[in-house]
Short mmCIF file of all heavy atoms in Angstrom, two decimals:
data_model
loop_
_atom_site.label_atom_id
_atom_site.label_comp_id
_atom_site.label_asym_id
_atom_site.label_seq_id
_atom_site.Cartn_x
_atom_site.Cartn_y
_atom_site.Cartn_z
N PRO B 186 44.01 112.38 95.66
CA PRO B 186 44.95 111.43 95.01
C PRO B 186 45.74 112.11 93.91
O PRO B 186 45.54 113.26 93.60
CB PRO B 186 44.06 110.31 94.50
CG PRO B 186 42.76 110.98 94.21
CD PRO B 186 42.62 112.07 95.22
N HIS B 187 46.62 111.33 93.27
CA HIS B 187 47.34 111.76 92.07
C HIS B 187 46.34 112.34 91.08
O HIS B 187 45.26 111.78 90.91
CB HIS B 187 48.05 110.55 91.46
CG HIS B 187 48.69 110.85 90.16
ND1 HIS B 187 49.91 111.46 90.04
CD2 HIS B 187 48.24 110.65 88.87
CE1 HIS B 187 50.19 111.63 88.75
NE2 HIS B 187 49.20 111.14 88.03
N PRO B 188 46.59 113.44 90.39
CA PRO B 188 47.88 114.14 90.29
C PRO B 188 48.04 115.32 91.26
O PRO B 188 48.88 116.20 90.96
CB PRO B 188 47.88 114.60 88.85
CG PRO B 188 46.46 114.93 88.56
CD PRO B 188 45.64 113.95 89.38
N ALA B 189 47.29 115.38 92.35
CA ALA B 189 47.32 116.59 93.21
C ALA B 189 48.73 116.93 93.68
O ALA B 189 49.17 118.08 93.55
CB ALA B 189 46.39 116.36 94.38
N ALA B 190 49.46 115.95 94.22
CA ALA B 190 50.78 116.23 94.76
C ALA B 190 51.72 116.75 93.68
O ALA B 190 52.47 117.71 93.88
CB ALA B 190 51.35 114.96 95.41
N LEU B 191 51.66 116.11 92.51
CA LEU B 191 52.52 116.51 91.40
C LEU B 191 52.17 117.94 90.92
O LEU B 191 53.06 118.74 90.61
CB LEU B 191 52.38 115.49 90.27
CG LEU B 191 53.30 115.65 89.05
CD1 LEU B 191 54.76 115.73 89.44
CD2 LEU B 191 53.06 114.52 88.06
N GLN B 192 50.87 118.22 90.87
CA GLN B 192 50.42 119.57 90.48
C GLN B 192 50.96 120.63 91.47
O GLN B 192 51.44 121.67 91.06
CB GLN B 192 48.90 119.65 90.44
CG GLN B 192 48.29 119.01 89.19
CD GLN B 192 46.77 118.88 89.29
OE1 GLN B 192 46.18 119.04 90.35
NE2 GLN B 192 46.15 118.59 88.15
N ASP B 193 50.85 120.31 92.76
CA ASP B 193 51.34 121.26 93.78
C ASP B 193 52.83 121.53 93.61
O ASP B 193 53.31 122.64 93.69
CB ASP B 193 51.06 120.72 95.19
CG ASP B 193 49.57 120.73 95.50
OD1 ASP B 193 48.79 121.29 94.71
OD2 ASP B 193 49.18 120.14 96.56
N ALA B 194 53.58 120.42 93.39
CA ALA B 194 55.03 120.55 93.23
C ALA B 194 55.36 121.40 91.99
O ALA B 194 56.22 122.25 92.03
CB ALA B 194 55.65 119.17 93.11
N LEU B 195 54.61 121.14 90.91
CA LEU B 195 54.84 121.87 89.67
C LEU B 195 54.53 123.37 89.83
O LEU B 195 55.25 124.24 89.32
CB LEU B 195 54.02 121.25 88.53
CG LEU B 195 54.25 121.84 87.16
CD1 LEU B 195 55.70 121.62 86.69
CD2 LEU B 195 53.28 121.22 86.13
N THR B 196 53.42 123.65 90.55
CA THR B 196 53.06 125.04 90.79
C THR B 196 54.20 125.80 91.48
O THR B 196 54.56 126.92 91.08
CB THR B 196 51.78 125.09 91.68
OG1 THR B 196 50.72 124.49 90.98
CG2 THR B 196 51.43 126.52 92.06
N VAL B 197 54.78 125.18 92.48
CA VAL B 197 55.87 125.82 93.22
C VAL B 197 57.11 125.93 92.37
O VAL B 197 57.82 126.95 92.35
CB VAL B 197 56.14 125.07 94.55
CG1 VAL B 197 57.31 125.71 95.30
CG2 VAL B 197 54.89 125.04 95.42
N TYR B 198 57.38 124.88 91.59
CA TYR B 198 58.57 124.89 90.71
C TYR B 198 58.48 126.06 89.73
O TYR B 198 59.44 126.79 89.49
CB TYR B 198 58.74 123.58 89.96
CG TYR B 198 59.97 123.63 89.09
CD1 TYR B 198 61.23 123.46 89.64
CD2 TYR B 198 59.87 123.90 87.72
CE1 TYR B 198 62.38 123.55 88.84
CE2 TYR B 198 61.00 123.99 86.93
CZ TYR B 198 62.25 123.81 87.50
OH TYR B 198 63.39 123.92 86.74
N LYS B 199 57.27 126.23 89.13
CA LYS B 199 57.09 127.29 88.14
C LYS B 199 57.35 128.67 88.77
O LYS B 199 57.92 129.55 88.12
CB LYS B 199 55.68 127.24 87.54
CG LYS B 199 55.54 126.15 86.49
CD LYS B 199 54.12 126.13 85.92
CE LYS B 199 53.99 125.17 84.74
NZ LYS B 199 52.56 124.95 84.39
N ARG B 200 56.93 128.85 90.01
CA ARG B 200 57.16 130.10 90.72
C ARG B 200 58.68 130.34 90.83
O ARG B 200 59.15 131.45 90.53
CB ARG B 200 56.51 130.08 92.10
CG ARG B 200 56.88 131.24 92.98
CD ARG B 200 56.38 132.61 92.49
NE ARG B 200 54.94 132.67 92.42
CZ ARG B 200 54.12 133.09 93.41
NH1 ARG B 200 54.65 133.52 94.54
NH2 ARG B 200 52.82 133.10 93.28
N LEU B 201 59.41 129.32 91.25
CA LEU B 201 60.86 129.44 91.38
C LEU B 201 61.50 129.75 90.04
O LEU B 201 62.37 130.62 89.92
CB LEU B 201 61.48 128.17 91.97
CG LEU B 201 61.33 127.97 93.49
CD1 LEU B 201 61.86 126.58 93.88
CD2 LEU B 201 62.04 129.07 94.28
N ALA B 202 61.05 129.01 89.03
CA ALA B 202 61.67 129.14 87.70
C ALA B 202 61.42 130.53 87.09
O ALA B 202 62.23 130.98 86.25
CB ALA B 202 61.12 128.05 86.75
N SER B 203 60.37 131.19 87.50
CA SER B 203 60.07 132.50 86.90
C SER B 203 60.54 133.65 87.81
O SER B 203 60.37 134.82 87.45
CB SER B 203 58.55 132.62 86.68
OG SER B 203 57.88 132.59 87.90
N SER B 204 61.14 133.32 88.93
CA SER B 204 61.59 134.37 89.85
C SER B 204 62.89 135.02 89.36
O SER B 204 63.83 134.32 88.99
CB SER B 204 61.78 133.79 91.26
OG SER B 204 62.49 134.71 92.05
N LYS B 205 62.93 136.36 89.44
CA LYS B 205 64.15 137.08 89.02
C LYS B 205 65.27 136.94 90.02
O LYS B 205 66.44 137.21 89.71
CB LYS B 205 63.82 138.56 88.79
CG LYS B 205 63.06 138.81 87.52
CD LYS B 205 62.66 140.26 87.39
CE LYS B 205 61.70 140.47 86.24
NZ LYS B 205 61.02 141.76 86.30
N ASN B 206 64.93 136.57 91.23
CA ASN B 206 65.94 136.42 92.29
C ASN B 206 66.56 135.02 92.36
O ASN B 206 67.37 134.74 93.23
CB ASN B 206 65.32 136.73 93.66
CG ASN B 206 64.76 138.12 93.70
OD1 ASN B 206 65.34 139.05 93.11
ND2 ASN B 206 63.61 138.28 94.32
N VAL B 207 66.12 134.17 91.46
CA VAL B 207 66.60 132.80 91.48
C VAL B 207 67.33 132.49 90.18
O VAL B 207 66.76 132.69 89.09
CB VAL B 207 65.42 131.80 91.67
CG1 VAL B 207 65.90 130.37 91.57
CG2 VAL B 207 64.73 132.06 93.01
#
Side-chain angles (χ1 to χ4, degrees):
Chain B
H187 174 81
L191 185 55
Q192 282 170 347
D193 290 351
L195 185 62
T196 296
V197 178
Y198 181 79
K199 282 180 173 168
R200 170 66 62 91
L201 283 174
S203 64
S204 166
K205 284 176 190 164
N206 301 321
V207 174

